[in-house]
Amino acid sequence: QVQLVESGGGLVQPGGSLRLSCAASDIIISLYTMHWYRQAPGKQRELVAAITSGHNTNYADSVKGRFTISRDNAKSTVYLQMNSLKPEDTAAYYCNAVWKGSYWGQGTQVTVSS
């Protein structure tokens, strides 16, 4: 059974950093385009960052220059390094794997507040 398990969320002050991880099981993530999405209360889920099997990356305009997506296929893990965090980055963050099918994790909460 395919599982995506996110971790690394928490409470951080504005300007701080967090590193999210998404550990995958029962899929060969090297074949998948991996995404990070986020959803804030009362808002639609939005794409934050994506990384293809060829390591090409794409970012939402709101996080460009602050967030970095990366992958370690040997560890079946995808990361989201988040720097210079802002209160508007507060949301539940979800990992998504897409190839011949689409899989989602359960999410990890990120709260940016002083």
Side-chain angles (χ1 to χ4, degrees):
Q1 183 178 354
V2 176
Q3 279 193 315
L4 300 178
V5 180
E6 300 96 335
S7 62
L11 173 64
V12 63
Q13 292 187 340
S17 298
L18 284 174
R19 187 196 198 199
L20 305 184
S21 299
C22 170
S25 59
D26 285 343
I27 59 171
I28 303 172
I29 71 161
S30 60
L31 299 174
Y32 286 74
T33 294
M34 302 298 294
H35 309 83
W36 284 99
Y37 284 81
R38 67 186 180 188
Q39 187 168 19
K43 294 188 177 181
Q44 289 188 332
R45 190 170 294 191
E46 64 172 348
L47 178 64
V48 175
I51 185 166
T52 69
S53 57
H55 293 253
N56 294 313
T57 58
N58 189 37
Y59 298 92
D61 287 342
S62 58
V63 306
K64 280 181 181 176
R66 300 188 298 122
F67 290 11
T68 302
I69 189 171
S70 61
R71 63 193 302 158
D72 185 337
N73 292 332
K75 294 183 178 180
S76 294
T77 302
V78 177
Y79 304 97
L80 185 68
Q81 178 67 44
M82 305 186 296
N83 299 328
S84 302
L85 282 161
K86 304 175 181 181
E88 51 264 44
D89 295 318
T90 295
Y93 283 71
Y94 298 89
C95 180
N96 168 244
V98 176
W99 182 50
K100 294 183 178 179
S102 178
Y103 302 98
W104 291 88
Q106 294 299 306
T108 185
Q109 179 67 35
V110 172
T111 302
V112 185
S113 175
S114 55

